[in-house]
Amino acid sequence: MPSLQEQIQAYEQEINAFNPAGAAELEQYRIRFLGAKGIVKTLGAEIKNVPAEGRKEAGMQLNGFKQLAEARYQEFAHMSGDTNDSNTDTDISMPGTPLPIGTRHPLRMVENEIVSIFERIGFSVATGPEIEDDWHNFTSLNMPEHHTARDMQDTFYVSQQPDWVLRTHTSSVQARILETQPLPVRVICPGRVYRNETISARAHCFFHQCEGLYVDKNVSFADLKQTLYYFVTEMFGPDTKVRFRPSYFPFTEPSAEMDISCTVCGGSGCSLCKHTGWVEILGCGMVHPNMLRNFGIDPDVYTGFAFGMGVERITQVKYQVNDLRLYSQNDVRFLRQFQKL
Ligand code: DAH
């Protein structure tokens, strides 16, 4: 029986000569030397048989041996996932582990759909800044500083710059278009808006709108109705009915709110339509002459219509999403449901 020292020397030679071709040989080495029943462990257990006077030296020798065995393994550790090794039994033709891929956000999908419906009838997309000045968000839209309509919207003001706000609606983009674009204009303006609301199932401090604006000679309320009717039938199906109710917005005159027949119950009454058979989906009207004048446009020559809708609202009506907070919670179980739409 060779002494512990002789055994260690023989194994050290083997280790120094070790030069694996791939992962399988490396694994064999690991099991043989470093495994739970491997040589390092077995020799370690033999130390108790060494006479007391030589034990210290043998312990040091064993330590060195262990370090060598581990260092050699580490030298080749990069090979451990190596599938090019002919000794492995990995089937490289197996399908890989699927990586979950993201999906479009439901609000983005609905926004895209709204935009593409209007693009089909000649509208083009316009956008504007989310940090707006007072003029574009309020004053130019026929809402002067002390106009009561400003109370309709709780506004986030930028503290260092009281003239700046986070836009409260996409109607600000109307103002920017009328200021810069030659007439006629026919635009659809999607974007994020902000209001100082406490977050709940029915209110949020940010949400999304799509604004529409058409200004030309001879644009009438009939054009507005037909355009929105087209939108509704494309978005919600050809059987959807619409109705207009008189309303008030400072930037339109006359103004209306548009309802559609309930998409859930078809009109017989349910919780979405609060048992009325109708759900409100947007505000609209003929562009106020004062607003046209604010941009040097003669209201006796040009007329126009405008409308604004909430993207969350359209999504709620279309897909029965009942809690606004779901849109920003990033819960993949919610988001994945829209994958195939
Ligand atoms: N800006 C309005 C809002 O945020 C929506 C709106 C109503 C826009 C009527 C319009 C409009 O362009 O004509 O509630």
Side-chain angles (χ1 to χ4, degrees):
M1 172 88 182
S3 70
L4 184 60
Q5 201 178 16
E6 285 163 348
Q7 290 185 65
I8 289 177
Q9 273 167 5
Y11 286 134
E12 278 180 349
Q13 272 180 21
E14 185 185 333
I15 290 174
N16 285 328
F18 176 62
N19 190 12
E25 277 180 39
L26 182 65
E27 182 59 6
Q28 278 166 15
Y29 170 93
R30 190 190 63 76
I31 296 166
R32 177 164 157 75
F33 285 99
L34 305 169
K37 291 181 185 150
I39 289 163
V40 169
K41 282 258 159 62
T42 349
L43 290 187
E46 272 177 39
I47 192 130
K48 60 181 183 301
N49 304 328
V50 176
E53 64 273 18
R55 209 171 277 163
K56 188 171 171 205
E57 203 191 330
M60 279 161 57
Q61 232 182 344
L62 267 170
N63 250 342
F65 173 63
K66 184 177 170 199
Q67 277 167 17
L68 174 74
E70 279 171 356
R72 197 74 177 143
Y73 179 77
Q74 285 309 325
E75 221 174 292
F76 298 103
H78 62 275
M79 288 183 171
S80 58
D82 186 356
T83 49
N84 284 333
D85 183 354
S86 53
N87 290 333
T88 68
D89 51 8
T90 308
D91 177 358
I92 59 165
S93 68
M94 293 261 287
T97 315
L99 288 177
I101 51 167
T103 60
R104 283 218 171 85
H105 193 280
L107 289 177
R108 179 66 76 191
M109 291 194 299
V110 169
E111 182 187 288
N112 287 348
E113 204 176 338
I114 297 169
V115 166
S116 82
I117 292 170
F118 284 102
E119 277 177 340
R120 294 205 280 279
I121 51 172
F123 283 72
S124 50
V125 173
T127 54
E130 290 181 16
I131 301 175
E132 248 321 346
D133 53 36
D134 183 282
W135 168 253
H136 293 98
N137 195 77
F138 294 124
T139 309
S140 68
L141 299 171
N142 204 30
M143 297 163 83
E145 208 168 321
H146 300 295
H147 197 295
T148 46
R150 289 192 180 203
D151 293 340
M152 285 159 61
Q153 292 162 343
D154 278 351
T155 307
F156 285 116
Y157 286 85
V158 175
S159 55
Q160 280 93 346
Q161 247 306 345
D163 189 47
W164 289 356
V165 299
L166 298 188
R167 67 178 176 195
T168 57
H169 52 184
T170 44
S171 302
S172 57
V173 188
Q174 282 191 39
R176 290 191 171 267
I177 291 295
L178 292 178
E179 188 175 66
T180 54
Q181 303 287 310
L183 297 178
V185 292
R186 192 155 49 188
V187 289
I188 182 93
C189 322
R192 183 174 279 192
V193 302
Y194 300 84
R195 287 187 205 173
N196 192 359
E197 303 262 6
T198 307
I199 296 172
S200 71
R202 319 180 97 243
H204 210 291
C205 60
F206 64 80
F207 52 99
H208 301 79
Q209 290 186 334
C210 260
E211 191 82 10
L213 174 71
Y214 179 22
V215 179
D216 199 351
K217 290 175 180 154
N218 300 319
V219 176
S220 72
F221 202 90
D223 296 320
L224 168 62
K225 284 171 84 173
Q226 195 57 36
T227 303
L228 292 178
Y229 182 62
Y230 169 77
F231 164 70
V232 164
T233 50
E234 290 291 296
M235 191 74 184
F236 298 102
D239 298 331
T240 319
K241 298 189 192 64
V242 299
R243 78 175 183 190
F244 290 81
R245 285 179 290 103
S247 185
Y248 171 73
F249 298 102
F251 30 89
T252 44
E253 182 58 38
S255 303
E257 275 165 323
M258 190 178 84
D259 300 341
I260 61 169
S261 52
C262 183
T263 49
V264 171
C265 64
S268 57
C270 69
S271 63
L272 177 67
C273 62
K274 300 197 191 83
H275 301 278
T276 64
W278 296 94
V279 285
E280 183 204 319
I281 62 160
L282 56 80
C284 59
M286 300 305 291
V287 180
H288 199 293
N290 285 350
M291 187 171 161
L292 294 175
R293 281 190 205 102
N294 281 340
F295 296 100
I297 299 165
D298 183 350
D300 293 327
V301 179
Y302 285 97
T303 49
F305 67 71
F307 56 88
M309 66 183 95
V311 181
E312 280 81 353
R313 175 71 175 156
I314 302 289
T315 314
Q316 179 199 18
V317 173
K318 202 166 158 102
Y319 299 117
Q320 284 85 60
V321 177
N322 287 326
D323 190 329
L324 279 176
R325 291 167 295 194
L326 289 166
Y327 294 122
S328 48
Q329 277 165 343
N330 282 339
D331 186 332
V332 290
R333 292 168 303 176
F334 169 71
L335 298 171
R336 282 216 189 103
Q337 296 177 67
F338 299 86
Q339 203 157 12
K340 292 186 196 72
L341 296 177

